[in-house]
Structures are given as C-alpha cells and as structure tokens.
Amino acid sequence: MEKKKFVGFGELMLRLAPDGYLRFAQADRFNLNYTGAEGNMAIALSYMGIPSEMVTKLPDNEIGRCAKRMLTKFEVETRHIAWGGERLGVYYLERGASQRPSKVIYDRKHSAISEADPSDFDWDSIFQDAGWFHFTGITVALSENVQEICRQACIAAKKHGVTVSCDLNYRKNLWTSEEAQRVMKPLMKYVDICIANEEDSEKVLGVKADNTDITAGKLNLEGYSRLAEKLAATYGFEKVAITLRESISASVNNWSALLHTEGTTYISKKYTMQIVDRVGGGDSFASGLIYACLNDFDHQKAVEFAAGASCLKHSIEFDFNLSTVDEVMNLIQGDGSGRVQR
C-alpha cells in the first residue's frame, strides 16, 4: 500500500494581529493564533483526510505546549517534536485594505527551532511511515543549524523513497538573495516538486521570468510557462508549480496557477477574490497540490484543485485552510456563487 503520510519540517510561531483592519498605532490589543508555513500545510492536509505530522522544536513552557495543542486539535501528529530552547518566534500582522498593503514585522531571532541541533531529530524514524516531506525557504533561512538539519532530512527522505517538495518562499526580511541562492541551490537536487512564484524563482534560484512585472497586476502566461520549463530543465524537478497572483488592490486579487510536468504546462481557471485574510495563501496552494498528487489526480485536475483550495483559504481568517475536499470540488466544478449551503 502506498504511504501517504505528510511530514512538514519548520517553525511554529505566534501570530499577533490587531482587530480587523486597525493599524499597529491604533491597536490596544492583539488577536493571537499559532502558525507557520509547514504547520499550516499539515493542518490543511489533515483537515482533508491526509495523515500529517509536524516536526519542529518548541520551548518547553506553556506557550510551546499551546502551540503543540493547536496541532493536535486538528489531528496533526506531534510525536517527533523536540523540546528546548528559550522562545517561540512571533510575527505581527497589520492587515491591509484597498490600496494600503498588509505589513509583517518578525520577532523570531533565537527561537527554539533556529537554535535546534541536528541530534534533535531522528529522520530514519520519522520517515518510517511517511510518503511525503515538505520544507520551505522560510525554514532554511532561519539559521545555519536549520540548514544542516534540512539537508540531513532531505538525504534521509530520499533514502526512504519519500517524495520531497519545496516552496521557495523568499523572505527579504530573513536573508538576502545571495544568501538564499548559496544555501538553496544545493538542496534542489533532493527536490521532486518545486513550488514558487516569479519573485521566489529569481531571488532563490536565480531564474527570472520573461517580461513580467509583479507590481503591474498583469500576467504574461507564456513567460511563466517558460520559467517553469527553465526551472525543471535546470534542476531536474519532476513538477514545477507557480502561483499567479494579480493584485488589483490589497482587498481584491485575481488568483490562478500553473503546473509544468512531463514537458506540458497546465493552467487553472482564474478566480477574482475579495480577500478576508491572504496570509497562508501560498501554503494552502501547496497543500492542495500535495493532496492532489497523493490521490493521483490528473495534471489538469491537480492544478485546478490546488488553485481552488487556495482561493477558498483567502476567505478564511488566520493562516491555515479549513476547507474540505467537497468544498474545493464544488468550487472547481463551477459553484463559486458563495450561496448559503442549507
């Protein structure tokens, strides 16, 4: 029987955000939840019925235990979490609206995971019953320690026949493009499925899309298709998925995606979204794509499912996608009306 268990490795964080669309200067309280790219994906996949595990390191205090309970609430396995270190990383989110963009401020230096040691994780044990391993550029940007842990995880994943995916996820507040390329390029030889956007591919892998402008709100699909082909040819990826966001404003985006595999590019339908919360949109796309691959969807259906799952996530508060498979299927099969279900 094919192993379908998903394993994500990365940082769990505390998200603090003012009510609604208040600016930081207006806030006298913050809403909190626990989040992190790979954790968001593990929760989304568990919600869709895929056995999922999150591997990380948490401080051995009440805040760390609250983060773990958030995972277990959504039936994400936590038995290989390491305990220790001083603190949980934090990020502050000011949600944008109309022409005012959202703003993120990180407070994650010296977090427990960034100071983890390779000896904290037994990857041979972790991958015994796993079929899929995922990491992101955000995780690898945290420290040299984490870079080595991730390298060892990738080696072990390949030894155990586990599919490896990576969302490049470049964050300029964490490292420079030069640092990203130095660290990430050698890891790509372990990656089967690469998930990116035009900025990620240029900043992290040095591969630029032709005739694109991420601030103009317009897409050149031919350029993105060539970008995916170039990434696959350069790094030997089995699949390359690229999200296609057209930012009309902070409140209204067009959203679609493409998937390149076996020499062919597949493009999803386009959605116009009224955004409730866009943080975690890329994570929901990646988890949707992984769900589709684990369930052997054909290539067109896979990119449709991933784009549809992410579209629904943009309507959900906080960072993870609590959309069911049936809800995504209804959307991609044509029911995008938003009518009350009763």
Side-chain angles (χ1 to χ4, degrees), residues 135-171:
F135 70 98
T136 71
I138 298 173
T139 296
V140 183
L142 295 176
S143 68
E144 291 185 2
N145 295 32
V146 177
Q147 291 160 16
E148 176 58 21
I149 293 168
C150 202
R151 188 186 71 85
Q152 293 185 14
C154 288
I155 292 171
K158 303 316 287 185
K159 183 174 76 171
H160 287 270
V162 174
T163 299
V164 177
S165 59
C166 176
D167 190 333
L168 299 180
N169 260 348
Y170 178 71
R171 296 292 184 269

Side-chain angles (χ1 to χ4, degrees), residues 155-340:
I155 292 171
K158 303 316 287 185
K159 183 174 76 171
H160 287 270
V162 174
T163 299
V164 177
S165 59
C166 176
D167 190 333
L168 299 180
N169 260 348
Y170 178 71
R171 296 292 184 269
K172 65 182 180 181
N173 290 337
L174 295 179
W175 58 356
T176 66
S177 176
E178 291 73 21
E179 290 171 323
Q181 292 190 39
R182 176 180 56 81
V183 173
M184 291 289 281
K185 284 181 176 181
L187 292 175
M188 293 301 103
K189 64 185 176 184
Y190 304 108
V191 173
D192 301 295
I193 298 178
C194 178
I195 301 165
N197 62 30
E198 70 285 346
E199 182 181 24
D200 295 337
S201 61
E202 180 181 1
K203 299 294 187 182
V204 176
L205 298 182
V207 181
K208 190 177 188 306
D210 298 329
N211 301 317
T212 61
D213 183 351
I214 62 174
T215 62
K218 295 182 180 180
L219 299 178
N220 174 8
L221 289 178
E222 185 178 344
Y224 286 109
S225 180
R226 287 198 298 269
L227 171 63
E229 291 176 18
K230 199 182 304 182
L231 287 169
T234 303
Y235 293 98
F237 301 130
E238 177 187 331
K239 294 181 175 70
V240 176
I242 296 178
T243 53
L244 305 171
R245 185 187 295 274
E246 299 170 271
S247 294
I248 299 167
S249 71
S251 304
V252 180
N253 286 184
N254 289 331
W255 181 256
S256 58
L258 67 78
L259 176 66
H260 180 83
T261 185
E262 299 174 355
T264 302
T265 299
Y266 302 85
I267 300 172
S268 77
K269 70 174 68 174
K270 183 187 294 187
Y271 300 94
T272 297
M273 306 180 301
Q274 305 288 330
I275 295 175
V276 171
D277 194 333
R278 69 162 282 178
V279 180
D283 303 332
S284 60
F285 173 82
S287 55
L289 181 64
I290 291 168
Y291 178 90
C293 292
L294 286 172
N295 285 281
D296 297 321
F297 287 8
D298 65 49
H299 302 318
Q300 185 64 50
K301 186 176 179 182
V303 72
E304 296 288 3
F305 188 89
S310 188
C311 173
L312 288 178
K313 192 277 144 213
H314 284 76
S315 71
I316 298 171
E317 292 275 8
F318 300 135
D319 296 33
F320 32 85
N321 188 16
L322 301 182
S323 297
T324 65
V325 173
D326 285 346
E327 288 171 334
V328 178
M329 288 296 191
N330 286 339
L331 175 62
I332 68 174
Q333 290 167 4
D335 186 3
S337 65
R339 288 172 61 87
V340 176

Side-chain angles (χ1 to χ4, degrees), residues 11-14 33-35 39 42-43 52-83 88 320:
E11 182 171 29
L12 282 179
M13 302 178 67
L14 181 65
N33 74 304
Y34 298 93
T35 181
I43 288 170
S52 298
E53 178 173 3
M54 180 63 186
V55 178
T56 189
K57 187 169 187 176
L58 297 173
D60 190 9
N61 57 36
E62 189 58 28
I63 299 301
R65 288 187 285 275
C66 284
K68 175 180 176 290
R69 284 194 289 269
M70 182 273 296
L71 294 171
T72 57
K73 173 183 176 181
F74 293 103
E75 301 181 324
V76 173
E77 191 175 315
T78 59
R79 63 193 173 99
H80 291 107
I81 286 178
W83 295 93
L88 195 72
F320 32 85

Side-chain angles (χ1 to χ4, degrees), residues 57 85-86 109-117 120 143 145-146:
K57 187 169 187 176
E86 295 299 318
K109 288 184 179 179
H110 307 296
S111 64
I113 185 64
S114 71
E115 298 184 348
D117 187 84
D120 287 327
S143 68
N145 295 32
V146 177

